[in-house]
Structure formats: C-alpha cells, structure tokens
Amino acid sequence: MRLVVDLNRCQGYAQCAFLAPDVFAMHGEESLLYNPHADEAQREQVMRAATACPVQAILVEDPDEAPATVGERLSGVR
C-alpha cells in the first residue's frame, strides 16, 4: 500500500494522526509527517484516516491496482 498526501491541501486537522498514529504524526501544529509505505496490517486504520480527512488530502494506492479514490476503497471498512 502506498500513501500520497497532498501537503498543499492538508490543513493540519490531525484526524489522520488520531486514527492511524503509527502512520501519521503531526510535527508542530501544522506540519504532517507520514509513512508513504504503510504496512498492509495498518490498512483499516489508514482507510479510516483517509476517510476522516476533512479536505480529502490522503490518497491510498495499491501497487498492483490503478489508483482509486478513498470512496471506491471503503466497501469493506466500517
């Protein structure tokens, strides 16, 4: 799984850091740090974090599939 965060769009709401703290972290009040190659075991938390992003700045990609929007990927996440 590969993550791309549009840091120009990110507003530092930190919902991702709250929902997937092993992947996303805030550095200061507005700067986001993240692991672009999150472990597959963290998929559910990453998908929840991407969905919770108020500005939809997080894109989750699978290397074997074409990129999809978060909404297209959420069929199995509750």
Side-chain angles (χ1 to χ4, degrees), residues 38-75:
D39 188 77
E40 191 64 32
Q42 298 167 320
R43 177 176 291 279
E44 185 174 339
Q45 291 146 332
V46 167
M47 296 307 293
R48 288 180 192 272
T51 302
C53 179
V55 295
Q56 298 297 292
I58 303 169
L59 176 66
V60 181
E61 298 177 348
D62 280 321
D64 299 331
E65 298 177 13
T69 64
V70 172
E72 292 171 341
R73 298 227 170 234
L74 289 179
S75 59

Side-chain angles (χ1 to χ4, degrees), residues 1-3 22-24 35-43 46:
M1 164 175 52
R2 181 173 168 253
L3 302 176
D22 293 333
V23 179
F24 303 96
N35 176 1
H37 301 286
D39 188 77
E40 191 64 32
Q42 298 167 320
R43 177 176 291 279
V46 167

Side-chain angles (χ1 to χ4, degrees), residues 8-48:
N8 290 315
R9 182 180 276 190
C10 176
Q11 297 294 307
Y13 290 106
Q15 294 301 306
C16 57
F18 175 73
L19 293 167
D22 293 333
V23 179
F24 303 96
M26 295 304 293
H27 179 15
E29 292 187 26
E30 294 183 8
S31 184
L32 177 69
L33 302 175
Y34 70 100
N35 176 1
H37 301 286
D39 188 77
E40 191 64 32
Q42 298 167 320
R43 177 176 291 279
E44 185 174 339
Q45 291 146 332
V46 167
M47 296 307 293
R48 288 180 192 272

